[in-house]
Amino acid sequence: MAIPTRIGLAGLAVMGQNLALNIAEKGFPISVYNRTTSKVDETVERAKQEGNLPVYGFHDPESFVRSIQKPRVIIMLVKAGPPVDQTIKTLSVYMEKGDCIIDGGNEWYENTERREKAMAELGLLYLGMGVSGGEEGARHGPSLMPGGAFEAYKYIEDILLKVAAQVSDSGPCVTYIGKGGSGNFVKMIHNGIEYGDMQLIAEAYDVLKSVGKLSNEELHQVFSEWNKGELLSFLIEITADIFLVKDDKGDGYLVDKVLDKTGMKGTGKWTVQQAAELSVAAPTIASSLDSRFLSGLKEERVEAAKVFKSSGVSDILVDQAVDKQKLIDDVRQALYASKICSYAQGMNLIRAKSMEKGWDLELGELARIWKGGCIIRAIFLDRIKKAYDRNPNLANLLVDPEFAKEMIDRQSAWRRVVCLAINSGVSTPGMSSSLAYFDTYRRGRLPANLVQAQRDYFGAHTYERIDVSGSFHTEWFKISKQAKI
Ligand code: 2AM
């Protein structure tokens, strides 16, 4: 038995099992532990089946911890929240100064910072590491976002570099993110961006299906074709696959039988809450969250559809004749332009938090480690990385010269799709809010002057002028009553 092992992993649900097997497969003997011991045996059995991988199971926390070489590093993959605290408590009593615990769950970044401080008092190191890529990624190469004690990162850098997804032109999908809870924060924003991507793809599907009347076979072809160009990504690829799957319980395709209610675990909500906290506009991500909320109101929506139908309003308002090929091409461009806006919002959220916390995060490096392994992996991320390489202080992705050109080239198609959707009564909140974001951001003058005048009118909040510096207040009520037009 290769004891002491190089590293330990506690929490053997599917993600934990797969990550443990991945680490072992890369040549690092690993100790594993789980509260429910049957999962330990299951993991050891899998390790045997999958090529006699060096995975060593333990049923009690003490022998588990002691089996790991010093300084000990243990990755935890348990449910976020109190289970993490309980697992830390169980394991830390057997750990010694200089040992390290890594939380690989989707944890709220402030919990990680609280735990890092508490652990430091015991002389222990702590990392919060975002792990993206689902079960498949965990087993064969995830994108890893470790943040916290740099010294702890260094202990296991060699492991992470091998375990992470490998992208031929840009290396392993891992980097030291930064201090504190930055790894969890970046993973949270990654998930918010993922919400946006999925919503935008769903809207493209809805417009093509509901307005363009494309069949599932045609949708498969369209998405497969898109996956060869600028939209090439994991999510487009799996979307193309979904349209091929026939219903195993009846006629037709399975996607048409799936209930239109989206679940969620919270990271999208946290992203939008953070956007509000940081005063950073993230309308595409927010609209994808709202869409999930509204999707949950299935029964209400079915009733509402009846109310409007009886008043003569059907789901699709206008049965317009559309040129299918043109629509497909327009929707592709609308999707791409909307996606740029969504990523611009996510990146700006990360930058704002980085400045607030002094994390010094490198946005281009984040785009690089998202190029493989994770759910939002896409060829497009290479363009984002290059944009930040050209200018690390880029105020917004939209004003990078290359992205700006792409937006200009696509804006006519984008507007046509949003107009068509609006006129057809098909909601496209992600595409519409992306377009509104673009149209707001690119205007030198907004109607905010009027809002500011209203604020000064009713609340004497004062206003600034475009021509004279200083802060001003006007008796709007009195003057307007005296005014004659
Ligand atoms: P279990 O198999 O004993 O339930 C995902 O649920 C993982 O988190 C599982 O490995 C699960 O262990 C673990 N987990 C959930 N709550 C836990 C707790 N309070 N203490 C330890 N592990 C926990």
Side-chain angles (χ1 to χ4, degrees):
M1 203 161 165
I3 299 243
T5 55
R6 175 66 204 280
I7 188 167
L9 190 143
L12 297 170
V14 186
M15 285 292 283
Q17 285 191 18
N18 283 3
L19 191 62
L21 294 172
N22 182 357
I23 293 170
E25 192 174 60
K26 300 291 152 41
F28 303 99
I30 184 167
S31 304
V32 294
Y33 167 77
N34 191 69
R35 180 182 60 176
T36 307
T37 55
S38 58
K39 290 204 183 118
V40 174
D41 303 336
E42 208 179 284
T43 311
V44 170
E45 186 52 35
R46 270 190 70 191
K48 218 179 272 167
Q49 300 292 333
E50 295 184 26
N52 274 326
L53 303 174
V55 172
Y56 303 95
F58 297 87
H59 285 189
D60 70 287
E62 182 174 3
S63 51
F64 165 66
V65 172
R66 297 203 194 288
S67 71
I68 306 162
Q69 82 175 38
K70 292 184 201 172
R72 300 183 182 96
V73 178
I74 297 175
I75 300 177
M76 256 183 326
L77 271 162
V78 300
K79 253 193 221 131
V84 172
D85 291 305
Q86 281 152 18
T87 307
I88 291 175
K89 211 166 155 196
T90 305
L91 301 176
S92 61
V93 287
Y94 307 111
M95 296 180 86
E96 294 166 67
K97 271 197 169 45
D99 289 353
C100 169
I101 294 185
I102 302 174
D103 177 12
N106 272 328
E107 187 53 276
W108 173 238
Y109 81 97
E110 286 178 338
N111 285 343
T112 293
E113 299 198 332
R114 165 176 63 75
R115 290 173 188 138
E116 188 185 5
K117 278 202 190 87
M119 295 281 285
E121 280 169 25
L122 303 172
L124 300 175
L125 302 171
Y126 197 75
L127 288 173
M129 179 169 74
V131 179
S132 176
E135 296 171 15
E136 188 61 22
R139 179 64 186 85
H140 298 291
S143 175
L144 298 170
M145 294 155 248
F150 183 67
E151 195 185 343
Y153 170 76
K154 278 299 191 191
Y155 287 171
I156 52 153
E157 189 180 36
D158 59 332
I159 300 179
L160 299 183
L161 288 173
K162 284 203 171 147
V163 161
Q166 310 288 320
V167 175
S168 55
D169 61 344
S170 59
C173 293
V174 61
T175 190
Y176 173 70
I177 302 289
K179 285 184 293 192
S182 60
N184 293 133
F185 190 88
V186 165
K187 173 59 178 14
M188 177 195 78
I189 299 293
H190 162 286
N191 286 20
I193 291 173
E194 179 183 313
Y195 274 50
D197 271 354
M198 293 170 81
Q199 175 64 23
L200 293 171
I201 291 172
E203 292 174 15
Y205 156 65
D206 198 10
V207 171
L208 292 176
K209 179 186 164 72
S210 306
V211 186
K213 306 281 182 253
L214 268 72
S215 65
N216 286 320
E217 290 91 338
E218 289 172 312
L219 286 163
H220 164 72
Q221 278 167 2
V222 167
F223 279 87
S224 302
E225 205 49 46
W226 286 357
N227 202 40
K228 294 177 187 152
E230 64 193 13
L231 287 170
L232 189 153
S233 59
F234 171 70
L235 284 169
I236 295 284
E237 180 190 333
I238 66 166
T239 304
D241 289 348
I242 286 169
F243 295 121
L244 286 179
V245 178
K246 295 264 172 63
D247 184 6
D248 55 344
K249 295 191 169 42
D251 293 337
Y253 286 88
L254 186 55
V255 67
D256 297 319
K257 309 287 175 65
V258 175
L259 184 67
D260 48 331
K261 250 178 157 176
T262 316
M264 65 189 121
K265 286 194 175 155
T267 42
K269 191 193 258 186
W270 289 345
T271 302
V272 175
Q273 285 171 333
Q274 279 297 296
E277 287 288 332
L278 293 163
S279 303
V280 172
T284 312
I285 299 173
S287 70
S288 62
L289 181 69
D290 287 340
S291 296
R292 291 196 183 195
F293 295 152
L294 287 165
S295 82
L297 306 177
K298 173 72 176 174
E299 294 74 18
E300 280 183 46
R301 289 188 287 111
V302 168
E303 287 310 308
K306 286 184 201 156
V307 170
F308 288 98
K309 195 157 202 161
S310 65
S311 322
V313 180
S314 65
D315 273 1
I316 312 297
L317 295 181
V318 194
D319 206 357
Q320 310 176 45
V322 293
D323 175 341
K324 258 194 198 180
Q325 272 321 310
K326 179 144 177 55
L327 180 67
I328 293 167
D329 197 51
D330 279 357
V331 172
R332 175 183 56 77
Q333 297 186 56
L335 179 52
Y336 187 75
S338 300
K339 199 172 146 95
I340 296 174
C341 291
S342 182
Y343 280 68
Q345 295 159 30
M347 287 305 196
N348 283 0
L349 279 170
I350 293 175
R351 182 177 23 223
K353 194 70 181 183
S354 173
M355 284 163 73
E356 180 193 286
K357 302 282 292 182
W359 282 337
D360 215 9
L361 304 184
E362 279 182 61
L363 300 182
E365 193 50 7
L366 300 181
R368 181 188 70 76
I369 65 163
W370 290 342
K371 275 177 62 182
C374 65
I375 305 297
I376 65 170
R377 61 184 181 262
I379 197 163
F380 166 73
L381 284 157
D382 207 39
R383 307 185 69 76
I384 298 186
K385 181 186 177 311
K386 287 188 177 130
Y388 287 113
D389 285 348
R390 276 191 287 276
N391 178 6
N393 299 317
L394 192 63
N396 190 306
L397 277 180
L398 303 188
V399 295
D400 166 72
E402 289 209 3
F403 279 122
K405 184 174 180 320
E406 290 185 339
M407 307 284 292
I408 293 163
D409 291 347
R410 284 157 188 76
Q411 66 161 328
S412 300
W414 193 10
R415 292 181 196 286
R416 278 195 296 275
V417 170
V418 171
C419 287
L420 178 67
I422 288 172
N423 287 327
S424 308
V426 171
S427 61
T428 50
M431 287 187 185
S432 308
S433 61
S434 287
L435 182 55
Y437 179 77
F438 171 63
D439 279 338
T440 306
Y441 189 71
R442 68 172 179 76
R443 287 184 71 202
R445 183 150 171 89
L446 288 171
N449 54 326
L450 183 61
V451 174
Q452 197 61 2
Q454 290 166 337
R455 294 181 69 241
D456 189 51
Y457 187 127
F458 66 69
H461 293 293
T462 75
Y463 58 92
E464 290 173 279
R465 294 183 55 101
I466 55 173
D467 49 357
V468 185
S469 62
S471 127
F472 299 87
H473 170 63
T474 296
E475 294 295 327
W476 300 88
F477 176 78
K478 209 165 97 196
I479 299 170
S480 66
K481 293 304 159 200
Q482 292 159 359
K484 299 252 174 340
I485 293 182

